[in-house]
């Protein structure tokens, strides 16, 4: 399989994602330009990644303009055809703005940008230490949507403490039900606020992000091979 | 409009400078030309009151790839065909008036200085000074400055990896905001700020020009008074999204090979970039100002010349290759227009609708050319006599040192700054190796190599106030020590010299002495001064700020795996203090803030002793004799022990040295001391390596208890709780205010 990383004007985690996948995890990665439309080199099992940053300056609302870029039209089609799409931070915001994922990302409840290591747990209760870096990361949706997400097992990450307890104190932005990441019903579109690509390098002293990228994005066979 | 000496004075030029301008031009300048001189001969651009002394600093070294002051930033060789580009700059005056935009554009400006040379910025730092945190004004300034730095840096996408913050009443009206950027460039891909090749097109790139920041350079060259708060338009407005695109486009356009020279537009805007590039290239320019894209109608010539609108670049390209250049900027949706050409007569001619509006020899405008250079008088400040009267014997050792430690760890200058740095993206770029393993200086990996940089900013201005000569030496030494403690080899310095009004002889004395001390220390550590910035007039009717010569220093680690960290690793590791304990509490946070003694000498310091310590320490780290290293700085040994314990929640049990006062041992800030830990299994190796070097075994790492001479001082968690929450406890009021404002 291969990865495509979309570069919007204002993307600033695109290179980090490229380095994490190509250097730390030895994957094939192609950089994609927002003005292009062609995704024909990607098959269904490949993955398009919307990286973090401030696409189009985050003017209007985070991700609101990126949604209308030429390449996003192709990415939306790709997702509807079952291709894998993964958004991190600003990428998650773009996925919500594009209605590929439900809900919205609101301004952090404490009104400030926050960058630090936090703890997450997945649906199997694996605990990860992963950095967050955002000003608008407070996930929000109405009660019905939230219940549907929970029932469908679509809440893929929640903020927790070091021991896995889901508490208010471990929630860095006030996200409803401590939600850090979700996926769509068909489980081919994923979004999360924390940055797994910032936790894949031994030199930086944290490789918890590798398992996240493997589990989410790669076929079981490939993930086992890497493990 | 008739131009007279009065006009000149209104533009902050002196009568003598007006005469000099007339002499240089051979005629009376018109208003546009006078404005050009006003901007270019301002303190900010001309260094007219400092250059004489700056030239005495050590500005040469084998690894320097450009001469100090010749380009927008320093450039040093780090091997493997790579160079490091770095510079620190102040944005004090704008931040005092409009903290958010003032700080934001300070960050934007310093990054532009780095990428205009062809380097990609990989790390940012900042050095901040505010008044007392209890004051509403301080809380407003702090919240605005931090928000501004975060807003710009986070979006621009360069990690803020470190810095320093001090709180002292002397900065109440004049906060200091110094921003540093560090970038990496491949050999052969650097770009010079020069205009060469007669007939080559001069291109204007980036944001359209507006009326913001007009006169910013001369504004930064005046004291802050009640009236200056009405000068709001002198503060620029930044757009980090635009700058991010400009960064990518500039680095891409360099790859075309069509770029002859490039300079960012910072202080004094178009006039500064055209004058400096032409003067450097020995050329002139013909510029059609009406071709400059504007965002406001009817801008006048002088406004176009002086506007400090952000995110703009001036670029000289090879004739005939304009389209190649334009194509890159088109790709990034950035305006790019040819506004003139390089000429051979050395004269800057500015036209509007075909009419010549200003004509000035480029050389006459710039530093090293026609700009004046002054000798200023100086004399020893009277307050230094009061400092000499200090005697430690007059200060009894307090009874309850534990409760003093309790206050000390919650002082804003000492307590955790996480409320501040959590608002900065410190990890974008995935190169900050200190996030998960703290060290005295942040360590940033250079991707694609095994190398890393250790980077720091340092200046304890109370030491400089107490003894400008020694205090500046300490600032350089502490920077070098932080780098050595992190496993790096100090490479070079950039400085940001924040002082009061240079016309005050007592202020100028501080400046001269600080330069002398800085120079001597830089020679000792073989760290040339590659460039920097002078900010005078940090003064208000109540007086000047403490002399604050901030040192930005870059060090190199050949292999990032040689990095050393400061956190205790394991219970049972032994604690050693390198260097000599002294009966010294001078100028410490303890003496000043807790005991309330405002005038005392700088702490003990000896340059030779410091140098020997750093050599010894580098060897210990290289040979893996130690497993944690932290230098003794503000707050003294007790605070350092706590800081080492926090990361893994380990405590310590120590015995104080009976030959010195207990308060001096625990809280003194006597220099050239470093705390290290040694695993029990390596003690004999370590002690052999130490030989006769001054060093005392002081105790052991515990599982969490804190014991001083056997007395229970609580657990490390107790101290961490206080350390972590002190600053936010001060800020609860401000937070409530801004939450209300956002509703």
């Amino acid at each position: 399989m291969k990865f495509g990383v979309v570069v919007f004007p204002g993307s600033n985690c695109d290179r980090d994602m490229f380095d994490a996948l190509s250097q730390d995890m030895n994957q094939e990665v192609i950089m994609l330009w927002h003005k292009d439309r062609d995704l024909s080199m990607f098959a269904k099992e490949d993955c398009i990644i919307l990286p973090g940053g401030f696409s189009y300056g985050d003017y209007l609302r985070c991700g609101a303009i990126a949604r209308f870029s030429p390449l996003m039209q192709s990415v939306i089609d790709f997702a509807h055809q079952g291709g894998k799409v993964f958004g991190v931070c600003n990428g998650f915001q773009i996925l919500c703005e594009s209605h590929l994922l439900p809900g919205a990302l609101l301004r952090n409840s404490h009104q400030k940008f926050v960058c630090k290591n936090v703890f997450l747990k997945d649906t199997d209760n694996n605990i990860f230490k992963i950095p967050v870096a955002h000003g608008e990361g407070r996930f929000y949706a109405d009660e019905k949507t939230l219940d549907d997400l929970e029932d469908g097992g679509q809440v893929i990450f929640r903020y927790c403490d070091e021991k896995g307890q889901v508490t208010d104190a471990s929630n860095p932005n006030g996200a409803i039900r401590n939600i850090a990441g979700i996926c769509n019903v068909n489980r081919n579109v994923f979004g999360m606020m924390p940055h797994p690509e910032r936790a894949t390098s031994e030199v930086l002293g944290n490789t918890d992000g590798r398992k996240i990228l493997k589990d989410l994005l790669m076929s079981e066979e490939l993930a086992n091979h890497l493990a | 409009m008739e131009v007279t000496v009065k006009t000149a004075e209104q533009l902050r030029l002196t009568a003598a400078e007006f005469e000099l301008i007339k002499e240089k031009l051979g005629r009376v300048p018109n208003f546009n030309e006078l404005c050009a001189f006003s901007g270019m001969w301002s303190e900010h651009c001309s260094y007219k009151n400092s250059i004489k002394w700056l030239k005495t600093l050590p500005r040469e070294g084998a690894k320097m790839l450009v001469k100090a002051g010749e380009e927008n930033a320093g450039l040093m060789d780090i091997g493997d065909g790579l160079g490091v580009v770095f510079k620190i700059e102040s944005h004090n005056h704008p931040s005092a008036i409009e903290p958010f935009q003032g700080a934001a554009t300070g960050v934007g400006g310093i990054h532009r200085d780095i990428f205009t040379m062809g380097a990609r910025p990989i790390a940012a730092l900042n050095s901040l000074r505010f008044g007392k945190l209890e004051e509403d004004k301080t809380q407003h300034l702090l919240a605005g400055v931090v928000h501004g730095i975060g807003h710009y840096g986070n979006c621009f996408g360069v990690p803020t990896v470190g810095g320093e913050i001090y709180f002292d009443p002397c900065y109440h009206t004049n906060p200091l905001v110094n921003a540093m950027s560090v970038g990496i460039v491949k050999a052969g891909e650097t770009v010079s700020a020069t205009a060469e090749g007669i007939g080559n097109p001069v291109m204007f790139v980036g944001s359209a020009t507006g009326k913001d920041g007009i006169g910013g350079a001369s504004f930064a060259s005046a004291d802050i008074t009640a009236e200056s708060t009405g000068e709001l338009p002198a503060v620029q407005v930044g757009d980090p999204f635009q700058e991010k695109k400009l960064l990518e486009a500039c680095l891409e356009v360099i790859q075309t090979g069509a770029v002859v020279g490039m300079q960012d537009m910072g202080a004094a805007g178009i006039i500064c970039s055209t004058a400096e590039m032409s003067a450097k290239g020995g050329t002139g320019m013909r510029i059609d100002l009406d071709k400059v894209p504007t965002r406001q109608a009817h801008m006048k010539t002088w406004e176009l010349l002086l506007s400090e609108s952000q995110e703009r670049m001036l670029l000289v390209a090879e004739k005939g290759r304009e389209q190649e250049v334009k194509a890159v900027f088109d790709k990034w949706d950035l305006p790019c227009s040819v506004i003139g050409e390089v000429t051979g007569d050395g004269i800057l001619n500015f036209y509007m609708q075909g009419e010549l509006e200003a004509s000035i020899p480029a050389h006459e405008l710039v530093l090293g050319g026609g700009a004046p250079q002054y000798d200023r008088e100086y004399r020893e400040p009277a307050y230094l006599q009061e400092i000499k009267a200090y005697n430690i014997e007059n200060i009894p050792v307090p009874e309850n040192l534990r409760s003093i430690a309790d206050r000390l760890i919650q002082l804003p200058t000492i307590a955790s700054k996480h409320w501040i740095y959590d608002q900065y993206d410190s990890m974008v770029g995935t190169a900050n190796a200190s996030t998960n393993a703290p060290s005295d200086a942040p360590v940033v990996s250079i991707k694609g190599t095994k190398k890393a940089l250790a980077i720091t900013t340092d200046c304890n201005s109370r030491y400089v106030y107490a003894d400008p000569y020694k205090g500046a030496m300490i600032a350089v030494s502490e920077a070098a020590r932080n780098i050595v403690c992190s496993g790096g080899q100090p490479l070079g310095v950039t400085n940001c010299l924040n002082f009061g009004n240079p016309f005050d002889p007592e202020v100028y004395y501080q400046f001269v002495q600080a330069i002398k001390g800085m120079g001597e220390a830089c020679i000792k550590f073989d760290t040339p001064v590659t460039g920097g910035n002078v900010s005078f007039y940090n003064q208000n009717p109540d007086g000047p700020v403490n002399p604050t010569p901030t040192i930005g220093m870059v060090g190199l680690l050949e292999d990032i795996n040689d990095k050393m960290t400061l956190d205790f690793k394991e219970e049972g590791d032994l604690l050693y203090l390198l260097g000599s304990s002294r009966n010294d509490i001078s100028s410490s946070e303890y003496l000043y803030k807790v005991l309330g003694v405002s005038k005392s000498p700088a702490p003990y310091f000896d340059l030779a002793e410091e140098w020997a310590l750093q050599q010894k320490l580098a060897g210990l780290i290289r040979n893996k004799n130690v497993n944690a290293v932290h230098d003794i700085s503000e707050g003294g040994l007790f605070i350092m022990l706590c800081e080492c314990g926090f990361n893994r929640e380990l405590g310590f049990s120590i015995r104080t040295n009976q030959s010195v006062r207990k308060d001096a041992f625990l809280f003194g800030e006597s220099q050239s001391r470093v705390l290290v830990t040694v695993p029990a299994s390596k003690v004999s190796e370590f002690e052999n390596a130490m030989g006769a070097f001054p060093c005392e075994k002081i105790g052991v790492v515990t599982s969490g208890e804190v014991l001083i001479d056997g007395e229970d001082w609580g657990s490390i968690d107790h101290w961490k709780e206080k350390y972590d929450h002190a600053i936010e406890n001060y800020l609860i009021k401000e937070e409530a205010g801004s939450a209300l404002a956002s509703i």
Side-chain angles (χ1 to χ4, degrees):
Chain A
M1 82 174 284
K2 59 182 177 294
F3 293 85
V5 175
V6 180
V7 183
F8 298 103
S11 292
N12 63 26
C13 304
D14 46 335
R15 283 185 178 75
D16 299 349
M17 187 60 85
F18 178 89
D19 291 345
L21 290 168
S22 68
Q23 279 161 36
D24 297 336
M25 300 179 70
N26 204 23
Q27 297 298 303
E28 183 186 354
V29 189
I30 298 167
M31 301 302 271
L32 303 168
W33 184 237
H34 68 115
K35 289 180 183 173
D36 296 334
R37 290 175 184 274
D38 184 13
L39 287 181
S40 60
M41 67 290 244
F42 293 95
K44 201 170 146 185
E45 64 274 16
D46 295 334
C47 180
I48 305 297
I49 298 185
L50 311 182
F54 292 72
S55 57
Y56 300 88
D58 272 352
Y59 291 135
L60 190 58
R61 257 190 339 269
C62 303
I65 301 175
R67 173 201 168 179
F68 294 104
S69 71
L71 189 70
M72 265 317 285
Q73 307 319 304
S74 309
V75 171
I76 291 169
D77 291 344
F78 181 76
H80 285 150
Q81 286 155 22
K84 271 188 188 163
V85 179
F86 178 45
V88 171
C89 199
N90 193 230
F92 185 16
Q93 294 163 340
I94 296 168
L95 290 174
C96 291
E97 287 287 341
S98 309
H99 305 297
L100 287 174
L101 289 174
L105 282 315
L106 307 181
R107 186 132 195 243
N108 298 344
S109 55
H110 48 71
Q111 309 291 319
K112 296 191 298 287
F113 189 95
V114 59
C115 173
K116 61 180 183 184
N117 279 324
V118 301
F119 291 94
L120 309 177
K121 72 173 178 183
D122 65 11
T123 47
D124 296 330
N125 287 325
N126 292 308
I127 300 169
F128 305 88
K129 181 170 83 175
I130 303 288
V132 290
H134 56 249
E136 279 95 3
R138 174 164 53 113
F139 184 75
Y140 180 81
D142 60 46
E143 288 295 314
K144 162 129 193 5
T145 306
L146 290 169
D147 290 341
D148 289 348
L149 283 171
E150 306 252 19
D151 292 347
Q154 292 166 249
V155 176
I156 54 175
F157 294 109
R158 278 182 221 272
Y159 301 109
C160 62
D161 66 16
E162 205 169 349
K163 298 188 180 79
Q165 302 297 312
V166 176
T167 61
D168 286 347
S170 59
N171 184 339
N173 52 34
I176 196 158
R177 301 191 195 181
N178 277 44
I179 292 172
I182 59 171
C183 67
N184 64 349
V185 175
N186 294 331
R187 308 193 84 81
N188 65 322
V189 180
F190 310 88
M192 65 191 293
M193 285 315 294
H195 289 268
E197 82 282 8
R198 295 186 181 189
T200 58
S201 151
E202 269 144 24
V203 162
L204 304 187
N206 183 1
T207 54
D208 283 8
R210 290 186 188 178
K211 182 169 163 55
I212 290 181
L213 293 172
K214 270 187 253 174
D215 289 354
L216 280 183
L217 308 177
M218 300 175 193
S219 66
E220 212 168 308
E221 193 186 345
L222 185 59
N224 287 339
H225 173 70
L226 279 171
Chain B
M1 178 176 179
E2 197 197 349
V3 167
T4 64
V5 65
K6 199 161 168 242
T7 330
E9 282 170 353
Q10 280 167 349
L11 292 170
R12 294 181 178 139
L13 289 161
T14 65
E17 284 167 350
F18 183 59
E19 287 306 311
L20 191 60
I21 292 166
K22 287 199 286 187
E23 196 183 297
K24 303 255 183 212
L25 293 180
R27 59 183 167 83
V28 177
N30 66 27
F31 183 71
N32 297 325
E33 291 161 345
L34 194 63
C35 285
F37 277 101
S38 156
M40 291 303 293
W41 287 13
S42 70
E43 190 68 53
H44 191 83
C45 292
S46 74
Y47 295 87
K48 60 190 171 188
N49 289 308
S50 60
I51 188 65
K52 178 188 163 186
W53 288 99
L54 297 179
K55 283 181 179 166
T56 68
L57 288 167
R59 304 198 299 168
E60 283 171 12
K63 291 182 175 161
M64 284 182 69
L65 297 177
V66 296
K67 278 190 185 164
E70 289 279 293
E71 295 289 351
N72 282 286
L75 169 58
M76 295 188 80
D77 188 4
I78 53 170
D80 290 351
L82 295 174
V84 58
V85 180
F86 58 101
K87 191 182 182 188
I88 190 167
E89 199 162 79
S90 64
H91 235 214
N92 305 334
H93 291 79
S95 303
I97 306 293
E98 215 296 76
F100 175 79
Q101 287 296 348
T105 53
V107 172
I110 196 64
H111 283 313
R112 271 198 307 285
D113 277 335
I114 303 306
F115 71 78
T116 193
M117 290 179 65
R120 178 176 286 280
I122 62 164
L125 295 91
N126 53 72
S127 172
L128 311 177
R129 302 288 183 285
F130 297 98
K132 285 172 76 168
L133 188 52
E134 293 87 337
E135 305 272 353
D136 287 349
K137 182 185 168 84
T138 302
Q139 298 193 8
H140 163 73
L141 288 172
L142 174 70
V145 165
V146 171
H147 189 202
I149 291 171
H151 166 77
Y152 208 102
N154 299 347
C155 178
F156 185 58
V158 173
T160 302
V161 300
E164 46 167 6
I165 304 170
Y166 290 82
F167 299 90
D168 189 286
C170 73
Y171 302 110
H172 179 79
T173 305
N174 295 89
L176 303 184
V177 176
N178 296 176
M180 177 169 169
S181 175
V182 182
I184 295 290
V185 64
K186 279 190 196 153
E189 293 187 3
T190 56
V191 172
S192 179
T194 184
E196 284 163 15
I198 295 164
N200 275 339
V202 178
M203 303 178 87
F204 181 98
V205 173
S207 298
T209 299
K211 292 188 182 181
D212 51 328
I214 288 173
S218 54
F219 165 64
S221 306
D223 292 359
I224 289 185
T225 60
E227 291 85 63
S228 61
T229 48
E231 298 200 35
L232 215 53
V235 180
Q236 315 86 331
V237 178
D239 179 352
F241 170 58
Q242 196 76 350
E243 176 135 316
K244 168 69 175 165
K245 292 195 297 175
L246 194 59
L247 161 73
E248 299 301 338
C250 286
L251 295 186
E252 212 169 299
V253 80
I254 291 167
Q255 300 297 327
T256 65
V259 178
V260 174
M262 186 157 70
Q263 170 148 349
D264 76 303
M265 280 181 247
I270 292 177
I271 186 63
C272 185
S273 52
T274 52
E276 289 186 354
M277 288 183 80
S278 299
K280 192 173 166 90
T283 55
M285 285 182 189
R286 179 210 151 96
I287 302 289
D288 290 301
L289 285 171
D290 45 310
K291 292 187 179 160
V292 172
T294 57
R295 56 176 178 238
Q296 273 164 298
H298 313 301
M299 282 188 70
K300 298 191 173 69
T301 301
W302 64 274
E303 291 173 328
L304 286 164
L305 288 176
L306 289 183
S307 164
E308 294 183 9
S309 288
Q310 298 289 291
E311 294 93 28
R312 303 179 303 159
M313 289 276 184
L314 196 72
L315 186 153
V316 173
E318 280 180 21
K319 192 171 173 62
R321 301 185 68 181
E322 293 87 342
Q323 279 316 312
E324 281 174 72
V325 171
K326 210 166 171 309
V328 172
F329 290 100
D330 281 349
K331 173 185 166 191
W332 288 96
D333 301 317
L334 287 166
C336 169
S337 29
V338 175
I339 61 164
E341 64 176 24
V342 178
T343 60
D345 58 5
I347 295 176
L348 297 173
N349 284 315
F350 295 99
Y351 290 82
M352 285 280 259
Q353 278 87 39
E355 294 285 321
L356 182 63
E357 295 265 319
S359 179
I360 313 167
H363 172 79
E364 299 296 359
L365 288 166
V366 302
L367 165 69
Q373 298 185 8
Y374 298 121
D375 276 323
R376 293 260 87 91
E377 64 168 306
Y378 54 94
R379 67 163 181 269
E380 185 177 301
Y383 73 82
L384 288 177
Q385 289 309 314
E386 290 176 60
I387 283 175
K388 284 176 189 156
Y390 163 87
N391 183 350
I392 190 173
E393 302 301 328
N394 299 333
I395 297 161
V397 181
E399 290 283 315
N400 191 346
L401 292 179
R402 184 181 165 180
S403 70
I404 284 178
D406 224 83
R407 285 180 60 192
L408 207 51
I409 204 162
Q410 297 182 75
L411 291 174
T413 293
I414 289 177
S416 167
K417 311 297 185 295
H418 79 87
W419 184 90
I420 292 151
Y421 64 72
D422 282 355
Q423 297 185 55
Y424 304 148
D425 191 337
S426 56
M427 308 181 209
V428 62
T430 53
N432 183 353
S434 295
T435 306
N436 301 306
S439 47
D440 274 356
V443 173
V444 180
S445 132
I446 302 171
K447 284 188 170 178
T449 73
K450 287 174 82 175
K451 295 175 197 278
L453 298 175
I455 317 165
T456 183
T457 64
D458 288 287
C459 180
N460 183 317
S461 69
R462 190 159 57 245
Y463 302 169
V464 188
Y465 174 78
D467 185 335
Y469 175 72
K470 200 192 271 184
M473 283 208 279
I474 292 176
V476 175
S477 303
E478 187 182 355
R481 200 189 310 141
N482 282 332
I483 285 170
V484 170
C485 285
S486 310
Q489 166 80 30
L491 200 62
V493 160
T494 175
N495 58 19
C496 195
L497 307 172
N498 308 273
F499 287 81
N501 189 326
F503 289 84
D504 176 341
E506 295 197 345
V507 166
Y508 209 68
Y509 175 91
Q510 295 172 330
F511 178 74
V512 170
Q513 292 297 314
I515 292 286
K516 287 182 178 173
M518 181 183 298
E520 195 175 328
C522 285
I523 289 169
K524 188 80 185 172
F525 295 109
D526 192 20
T527 50
V529 177
T530 63
N533 160 241
V534 179
S535 172
F536 281 132
Y537 304 97
N538 294 289
Q539 182 148 0
N540 65 76
D542 297 331
V545 299
N546 282 350
T548 315
T550 306
I551 300 297
M553 193 183 281
V554 172
L556 181 66
L557 285 80
E558 286 294 340
D559 185 338
I560 194 168
N561 294 311
D562 295 339
K563 143 183 214 284
M564 177 47 66
T565 51
L566 67 79
D567 53 335
F568 293 154
K569 303 300 180 298
E570 219 170 331
E571 182 185 355
D573 286 352
L574 294 152
L575 290 163
Y576 288 84
L577 185 60
L578 272 60
S580 305
S581 293
R582 289 195 160 76
N583 232 6
D584 180 14
I585 54 173
S586 293
S587 281
S588 62
E589 281 288 301
Y590 160 64
L591 181 66
Y592 178 70
K593 298 247 177 80
V594 179
L595 300 186
V597 177
S598 62
K599 291 197 169 57
S600 64
Y604 175 86
F605 175 77
D606 178 88
L607 187 57
E609 211 175 286
E610 176 73 40
W611 190 80
L613 173 89
Q614 292 188 21
Q615 298 305 305
K616 189 71 184 174
L617 190 61
L620 293 173
I621 294 171
R622 202 166 42 238
N623 297 324
K624 315 238 184 272
N625 295 124
V626 291
N627 65 0
V629 174
H630 193 14
D631 84 311
I632 308 299
S633 61
E634 287 81 8
L637 175 66
F638 177 77
I639 299 294
M640 304 305 118
L641 286 160
C642 288
E643 288 177 349
C644 295
F646 291 152
N647 196 42
R648 295 170 198 245
E649 295 176 359
L650 293 169
F652 49 91
S653 172
I654 59 162
R655 291 266 155 213
T656 60
N657 181 332
Q658 300 302 311
S659 68
V660 298
R661 292 165 58 127
K662 198 162 172 173
D663 58 348
F665 185 78
L666 291 173
F667 310 135
E669 297 178 16
S670 149
Q671 294 294 297
S672 313
R673 294 178 303 147
V674 170
L675 177 69
V676 303
T677 59
V678 181
S681 61
K682 289 193 172 178
V683 163
S684 58
E685 242 174 280
F686 169 78
E687 290 188 348
N688 282 338
M690 286 311 293
F693 196 89
C695 171
E696 49 192 299
K697 190 197 279 186
I698 60 168
V700 65
V701 174
T702 71
S703 64
E705 325 73 89
V706 173
L707 296 162
I708 310 293
D709 292 332
E711 187 187 334
D712 181 3
W713 278 32
S715 71
I716 194 73
D717 295 349
H718 158 88
W719 295 98
K720 185 166 168 30
E721 178 72 18
K722 290 183 187 293
Y723 179 81
D724 277 351
H725 298 295
I727 286 189
E728 64 200 54
N729 288 341
Y730 280 101
L731 293 171
I732 285 166
K733 206 166 44 174
E734 171 72 25
E735 297 237 286
S738 57
L740 278 176
S742 69
I743 288 173

